[in-house]
């Protein structure tokens, strides 16, 4: 009996079209555009100026405050602009544009591919290395990792939980990294365990990645303290709270952080980035991105430099199909639809999904038939039909009482609704307004 | 290239729709419909067809001419209301009464509240209870089962087992006397459907097949029907054990009257039943208790319709106070 | 029989006893309230729209009675009439406020502002705004999903399907609900203006001129021509966006003509006195030097006789319409001159009707005489030219 979370959940078609596609390195573009805000928290402040020459891996923007992250150049070349560019949503964000000239890396990075198993750094040095490398949550949340690894005093981390679930349909980047870089990931996990003084690490992997489970189990058997936990194929198995409940059986209270139950959760791609930072002194400037979609000619997993335009990635996968209706950054359940496909790949871009009109078109919303299916699939035990109604009528106090702030925006309710009501759209709106109300209260 | 579509997440949909759910319920009703035709003959066909067509007609007219919006009569809900209304009436009911019933069911029971999703009471039951109170004689003269050759208007009539039981108890007979008497047709007949009664009271097995189909298609969950049956068994069981002569055993209750049809098809109606699992169980318990109370202590031989309608009124209250289990 | 009598007597007795108890209880637990609150409440329209900023008409009545002055207390639904009555009832002074109306400051319909994507989410401006830039290239413009229409309780704002922009009608009482509902702050409460006439910059785009112009043909590019043109210093330029202060604006319409992108809108004005057969919109810089042949169909001349408010010697340039053939050469500049009208709308409206050409000439001659009498320095345009030549 596979472990899973207790409430709700759905099982959309997995459509892992790019599964098994080996990671290919995408050629470096002629120009990269690196946004200054690729993470949760304050945008980084630039430390280079227009006209400067930079090398691959060089620091180009400094973290601005505690909850922020460093940003490094992913190419070598000349900084041509530090200006506003249009991001994927069409809005203007500050970014550093670098014209590429060859690919010279900073000398500190160990370019050698040799696997290094022994961690020589101390706990503090590990955290410092992670902070310097600008590592953020690679699953898409982009939370600065060093902040997660320094819990507030009085909180002790018992478990390190590694999210190898990749529950979103279509995405396979984590799966490939697990298959190709398993040993490195284990060392990364050991570094993280050392950083938070956790005695046990549990890697949660969804049961549709049996090869990865087997591979990891073989390696983990030789190592102390790391356990592999196969999980039932259910969305959103990879949600932080759901994963903690499934793996160690503890439920994070409403409004609380995972550290309150002694858990720290990290994405498996982040663990790999930690290995590179700690053992190879390599900052985060490239990542594996899945390009996929039913009409895409050759879906695959590509190792891309941060700042590469997404159009180049799409071209490598065979070009934009004619029946393209939506281009989504991320997975189909929680990804963001893009309007500007020349926008750059950022640290949080786990996949580019191209959907055709048949799959993308939203049906006309009808009356709520009170079937209760949204209630039965909600993983947080909320009542989406009620939250939608309260959000539409702007009853913010009632929304707070109905625990709208607990919503993880997984999208299971909208996915299930037979009347095709845009439940999550309104719930998100209500959540934002309620958060503002709560903030203004203080 | 065409303009890109932009929308908030999620970007995919399960493909579930109102029609899929409604037509799934209709498919689940097919065994019961076939059974009713086999038991009651031409009358069953006439009654069912009239009810369904008049429900569709009235819904179309009201939506197009009174509400002045696009008619959506093929979403399946009107057809189900018609069929369930038909299953609740005798097979020799005159056509004009059925049409009135359909008008009340759709017009008052559903449209006056705002259409699909807005009604408080089960429309089919609203129609049925209206007919029962307005035309008590026609609504309580049940044709006897004479198979497929049963006549329509001229069918031979007789009372249902529940009515017979009530009469027997009234005249002083004990339960065991009644069960062994000739007027009682036996449990096997009740299970297979060889009893007089409304169309839907027929075969319990046919209805259970429909129940299994709906569970498989995930159209309904087990909570409401199972809680109704469990409550009836417990409550009627206690009464029976306390005085076997006065109170009949729970299986009689389960197999007679509209218990099966009501618990599986009428009480589980989406719009009028609670949304959370806890709420559904409370709903079912309430229906079970009320049905047994009306049957045993009340004036009417059958209490299922009233019990469901009363609990429908409580659904908003149940929804308000029975919140689903939160994550933490 | 006795049963009936006993019943009646006992019921009456219960009634009387209850009445006495109720009377004493009512007196004991009576809430002392200023009786004037009831009076003021009665004068208010009881719409409870919240447009005054108070939760309901009763709260406004309480606030009006409790405060010393009636500053900041204004019922937009009742308007000046109601406020005057309240002031009378309370014996207080009231400041006269001009009636206001909601103005949608965006003209980005499908022709002016091409669509760059299709929005497929829930029909709500707030949701669309929080998601992305919108279905055009302008990050500030109207999204057309109708949050303002939903918010209005007076049926005063409606979405025009052909343009995709909301239209305010005369039912508007300036309660401010649509202003709050719009996530991009496109709607503003502005003075209704005499004869319902208003002038405003129909744009809220704060991007630099080039960027704004690329996304919308009628965007404000922040060029500042209107600022220079306005004789009353009513226009300010901030963040690449011009804004007309409705308190200072005198509705002279000079800015409207000056705007190169036609971003400034004039509402409910009669058509301009000089009808020009010209493709629009083309930039029309004001020149007084060049004369171009202009075909005039129905020349309209504003004849202002009252010249009361003259702060400095004003060069009154009298227009001389020339009825001549249109020369089909590139007509670059148009001589559109206006009399420096003193803001007196009465004069304007009296004389705004079309007058035939000969009458104009005659009238002009008379006026020129009259003006010359007052100020011998004045010269007509022709004379200026002849002098220069």
């Amino acid at each position: 009996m596979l472990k899973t979370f207790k409430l709700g959940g759905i099982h959309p078609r997995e459509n892992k079209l790019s599964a098994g596609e080996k990671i290919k390195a995408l050629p470096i573009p002629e120009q990269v555009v690196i946004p200054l805000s690729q993470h949760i928290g304050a945008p980084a402040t630039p430390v280079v100026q227009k006209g400067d020459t930079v090398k691959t891996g060089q620091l180009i923007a400094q973290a601005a405050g505690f909850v922020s992250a460093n940003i490094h150049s992913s190419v070598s070349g000349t900084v041509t602009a530090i200006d506003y560019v249009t991001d994927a949503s069409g809005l203007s964000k500050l970014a550093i544009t670098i014209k590429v000239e060859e690919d010279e890396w900073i000398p500190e990075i160990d370019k050698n591919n040799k696997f290094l198993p022994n961690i020589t750094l101390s706990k503090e040095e590990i955290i410092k290395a992670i902070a310097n490398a600008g590592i953020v949550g690679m699953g898409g949340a982009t939370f600065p990792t060093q902040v997660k690894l320094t819990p507030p005093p009085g909180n002790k981390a018992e478990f390190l939980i590694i999210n190898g679930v990749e529950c979103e349909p279509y995405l396979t980047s984590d799966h490939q990294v697990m298959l190709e870089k398993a040993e490195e990931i284990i060392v990364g996990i050991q570094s993280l365990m050392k950083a938070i003084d956790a005695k046990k690490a549990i890697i949660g992997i969804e049961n549709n990645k049996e090869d990865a489970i087997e591979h990891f189990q073989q390696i983990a058997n030789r190592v102390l303290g790391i356990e592999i936990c196969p999980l039932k194929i259910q969305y959103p198995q990879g949600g932080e709270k759901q994963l903690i409940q499934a793996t160690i059986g503890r439920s994070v209270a409403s409004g609380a952080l995972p550290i309150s139950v002694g858990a720290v959760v990290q994405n498996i791609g982040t663990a790999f980035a930690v290995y590179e930072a700690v053992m190879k002194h390599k900052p985060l400037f490239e990542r594996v991105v899945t390009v996929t979609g039913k009409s895409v000619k050759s879906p695959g997993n590509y190792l891309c430099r941060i700042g590469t335009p997404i159009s180049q990635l799409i071209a490598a996968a065979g070009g934009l199909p004619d029946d393209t209706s939506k281009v989504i950054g991320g997975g189909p359940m929680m990804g963001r639809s893009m309007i500007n496909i020349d926008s750059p790949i950022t640290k949080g871009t786990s996949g580019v999904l191209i959907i055709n009109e048949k799959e993308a078109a939203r049906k006309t919303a009808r009356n709520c038939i009170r079937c209760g299916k949204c209630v039965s699939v909600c993983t947080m035990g909320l009542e989406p039909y009620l939250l939608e109604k309260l959000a539409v009528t702007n009853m913010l106090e009632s929304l707070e009482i109905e625990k709208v702030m607990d919503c993880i925006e997984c999208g299971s309710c909208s996915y299930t609704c037979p009347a095709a009501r845009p439940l999550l759209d309104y719930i998100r709106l209500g959540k934002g307004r309620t958060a503002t109300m709560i903030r203004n209260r203080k | 290239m065409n303009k890109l579509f932009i929308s908030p997440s999620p970007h995919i949909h399960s493909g579930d729709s109102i029609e899929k759910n409604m037509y799934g319920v209709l498919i689940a009703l097919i065994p019961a419909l076939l059974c009713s035709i086999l038991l009651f003959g031409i009358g069953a066909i006439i009654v069912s067809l009239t009810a369904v067509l008049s429900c569709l007609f009235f819904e179309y007219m009201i939506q197009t001419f009174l509400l002045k919006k696009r008619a959506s009569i093929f979403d399946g809900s009107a057809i189900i209301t018609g069929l369930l209304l038909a299953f609740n009436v005798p097979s020799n009911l005159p056509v004009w009464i059925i049409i009135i019933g359909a008008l009340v069911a759709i017009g008052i029971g559903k449209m006056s509240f705002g259409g699909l999703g807005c009604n408080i009471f089960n429309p089919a039951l609203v129609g049925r209870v209206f007919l029962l109170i307005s035309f008590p004689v026609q609504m309580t003269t049940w044709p006897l089962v004479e198979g497929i050759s049963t006549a329509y208007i001229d069918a031979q009539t007789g009372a249902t087992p529940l009515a017979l039981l009530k009469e027997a108890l009234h005249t002083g007979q004990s339960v065991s006397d009644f069960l062994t008497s000739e007027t009682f047709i036996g449990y096997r007949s009740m299970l297979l459907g060889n009893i007089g009664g409304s169309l839907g009271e027929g075969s319990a097995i046919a209805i259970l097949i429909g129940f299994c189909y709906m569970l498989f298609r995930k159209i309904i969950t087990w909570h409401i029907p199972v809680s109704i049956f469990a409550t009836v068994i417990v409550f009627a069981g206690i009464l029976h054990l306390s005085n076997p002569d006065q109170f009949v055993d729970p299986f009689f209750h389960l197999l007679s009257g509209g218990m099966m049809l009501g618990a599986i098809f009428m009480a589980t109606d989406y719009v009028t039943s609670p949304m959370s699992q806890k709420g559904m169980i409370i709903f079912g318990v309430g229906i079970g208790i009320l049905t047994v109370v009306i049957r045993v202590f009340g004036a009417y031989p059958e209490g299922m319709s009233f019990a469901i309608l009363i609990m429908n009124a409580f659904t908003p209250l149940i929804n308000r106070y029975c919140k689903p289990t939160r994550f933490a | 029989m006795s049963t009936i009598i006993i019943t009646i007597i006992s019921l009456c007795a219960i009634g009387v006893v209850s009445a006495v108890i109720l009377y004493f209880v009512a007196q004991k637990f009576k809430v002392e309230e200023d009786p004037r609150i009831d009076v003021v409440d009665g004068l208010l329209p009881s719409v409870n729209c919240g447009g005054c900023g108070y939760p309901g008409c009763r709260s406004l009545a309480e606030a009006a009675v409790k405060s010393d002055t009636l500053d900041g207390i204004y019922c937009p639904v009742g308007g000046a009439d109601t406020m005057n009555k309240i002031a009378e009832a309370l014996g207080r002074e009231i400041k006269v406020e001009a009636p206001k109306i909601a103005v949608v400051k965006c003209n980005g319909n499908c022709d002016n502002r091409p669509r760059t994507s299709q929005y497929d989410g829930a029909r709500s401006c707030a949701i669309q705004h929080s998601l992305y830039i919108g279905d055009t290239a302008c990050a500030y413009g109207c999204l057309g999903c109708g949050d303002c229409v939903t918010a209005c309780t007076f049926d005063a704002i409606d979405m025009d399907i052909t343009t995709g922009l909301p239209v305010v009608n005369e039912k508007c009482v300036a309660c401010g609900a649509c202003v709050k509902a719009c996530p991009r702050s496109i709607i503003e409460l502005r003075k209704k203006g005499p004869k319902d006439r208003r002038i405003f910059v129909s744009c809220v785009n704060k991007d630099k001129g080039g960027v704004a112009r690329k996304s919308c043909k009628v965007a404000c590019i922040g060029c500042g021509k209107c600022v220079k043109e306005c004789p009353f210093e009513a226009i300010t330029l901030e963040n690449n966006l011009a804004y007309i202060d409705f308190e200072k604006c005198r509705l002279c319409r000079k800015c409207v003509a000056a705007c190169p992108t036609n971003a400034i809108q004039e509402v409910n004005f009669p058509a301009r006195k000089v009808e020009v057969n010209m493709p629009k919109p083309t930039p029309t810089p004001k020149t007084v030097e060049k004369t171009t042949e202009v075909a005039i169909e129905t020349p309209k001349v504003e004849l202002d006789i009252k010249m009361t408010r003259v702060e400095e010697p004003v060069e009154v340039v009298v227009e001389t319409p020339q009825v001549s053939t249109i020369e089909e050469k590139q007509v670059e500049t148009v001589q559109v001159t206006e009399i420096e009208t003193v803001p007196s709308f009465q004069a304007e409206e009296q004389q705004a009707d079309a007058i035939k050409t000969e009458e104009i000439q005659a009238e002009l001659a008379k006026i020129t005489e009259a003006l010359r009498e007052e100020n011998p320095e004045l010269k007509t345009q022709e004379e200026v030219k002849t002098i220069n030549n």
Side-chain angles (χ1 to χ4, degrees), chain A residues 275-355:
Chain A
Y275 163 82
E276 299 212 294
V278 168
M279 308 304 282
K280 306 276 181 180
H281 316 289
K282 182 177 166 208
L284 178 58
F285 58 75
E286 59 182 4
R287 68 158 297 151
V288 179
V289 182
T290 308
V291 193
T292 179
K294 292 215 174 104
S295 309
V296 173
K297 288 200 192 76
S298 36
N301 305 298
Y302 292 89
L303 180 65
C304 311
R305 300 286 173 103
I306 304 288
T308 308
I310 287 175
S311 45
Q312 186 175 338
L313 188 59
I314 296 175
L320 202 63
D322 290 325
D323 61 353
T324 300
S325 183
K326 271 189 191 168
V327 178
I328 295 168
M333 294 300 292
M334 287 182 78
R336 294 194 70 143
S337 43
M338 292 190 228
I339 185 176
N340 175 18
I341 56 169
D342 292 317
S343 56
I345 288 172
T346 62
K347 292 179 185 175
T349 314
S350 48
V352 173
L353 167 62
I354 297 168
I355 315 189

Side-chain angles (χ1 to χ4, degrees), chain A residues 75-148:
Chain A
V75 293
S76 67
T78 320
V79 176
T80 51
I82 304 179
D83 200 1
Y84 286 96
V85 292
T86 325
D87 71 359
S89 304
L91 301 164
S92 297
K93 295 271 158 68
L94 266 178
I96 299 178
T97 313
I98 302 174
K99 187 160 102 44
V100 177
E101 287 146 17
E102 292 165 23
D103 187 20
E104 203 188 326
W105 291 33
I106 52 173
E108 292 85 355
I109 302 176
D110 175 5
K111 281 185 91 168
N112 199 320
N113 260 335
K114 183 162 174 288
F115 168 58
L116 301 170
N118 297 315
I119 306 168
T120 51
L121 273 60
S122 73
K123 169 184 158 159
E124 288 77 19
E125 285 168 338
I126 291 176
I127 299 181
K128 195 146 169 281
I130 291 172
N132 285 341
I135 296 180
V136 300
M138 306 271 280
T142 66
F143 191 75
T145 308
Q146 78 275 9
V147 181
K148 249 195 207 175

Side-chain angles (χ1 to χ4, degrees), chain A residues 325-326 332 335 362 366 381 428, chain B residues 5 7-9 11 14 19 326:
Chain A
S325 183
K326 271 189 191 168
R362 280 196 176 191
R366 317 244 290 271
R428 224 187 254 119
Chain B
F5 276 81
S7 79
S9 63
H11 306 284
S14 60
E19 285 77 11
R326 305 290 189 201

Side-chain angles (χ1 to χ4, degrees), chain C residues 91 162 188:
Chain C
T162 49
E188 189 193 354

Side-chain angles (χ1 to χ4, degrees), chain A residues 7 241 245 252-253 320 325-326 328 332-333 335 337-339 359 362-363 366-371 373 379-383 385-386 402 411 414-415 417-418 424-425 428, chain B residues 1 3-19 21-22 75 114-118 218-219 270-271 273 275-276 319 322-328:
Chain A
L7 295 173
K241 294 189 176 177
Q245 192 181 60
V252 179
L320 202 63
S325 183
K326 271 189 191 168
I328 295 168
M333 294 300 292
S337 43
M338 292 190 228
I339 185 176
E359 227 178 324
R362 280 196 176 191
K363 295 180 234 177
R366 317 244 290 271
N367 271 3
C368 169
I369 58 169
R370 310 185 68 76
C371 61
K373 292 191 180 192
T379 56
M380 297 304 291
L382 306 173
E383 294 174 284
Y385 76 94
L386 181 63
E402 294 293 338
S414 290
Y415 177 85
C417 182
L424 186 60
D425 295 4
R428 224 187 254 119
Chain B
M1 198 196 67
K3 291 198 272 274
L4 285 176
F5 276 81
I6 310 284
S7 79
S9 63
H11 306 284
I12 50 175
H13 190 263
S14 60
D16 200 6
S17 66
I18 298 177
E19 285 77 11
N21 285 298
M22 296 293 160
D75 60 19
L116 182 64
C118 303
K218 294 208 176 74
I219 296 173
Y270 284 153
V271 183
S273 58
M275 315 269 274
S276 61
N319 273 332
C322 290
K323 296 290 173 186
T325 323
R326 305 290 189 201
F327 179 83

Side-chain angles (χ1 to χ4, degrees), chain C residues 38-153:
Chain C
D38 282 324
V39 172
V40 176
D41 196 24
L43 292 168
L44 291 170
S46 298
V47 188
N48 289 316
C49 69
C52 53
Y54 290 89
C57 297
R58 185 122 189 124
S59 301
L60 180 66
E62 282 170 10
V65 168
K66 286 205 183 87
S67 79
D68 295 324
T69 68
L70 283 175
D71 283 337
I73 294 183
Y74 180 73
C75 171
V77 182
D81 281 339
T82 309
M83 292 319 292
N84 283 332
K85 288 200 201 119
I86 293 175
E88 230 183 280
L90 295 175
R92 303 221 186 103
E93 289 285 311
I94 185 95
K95 194 173 61 166
V96 177
E97 250 195 59
K100 286 195 178 162
I101 193 170
V103 167
V104 178
K105 294 192 296 183
C106 178
N107 197 13
N109 55 31
C110 293
D111 293 323
N112 293 332
R113 191 170 51 130
R115 307 289 128 161
T116 53
S117 66
Q118 284 176 273
Y119 175 67
D120 202 19
R123 300 295 318 159
S124 161
C125 305
I127 293 176
Q128 192 175 355
H129 174 68
S130 65
L131 181 66
Y132 75 133
I133 193 178
D135 54 357
T136 64
C138 175
Y140 303 88
C142 175
L143 295 164
C145 285
D147 276 5
C148 48
V149 179
T150 317
C152 182
T153 50

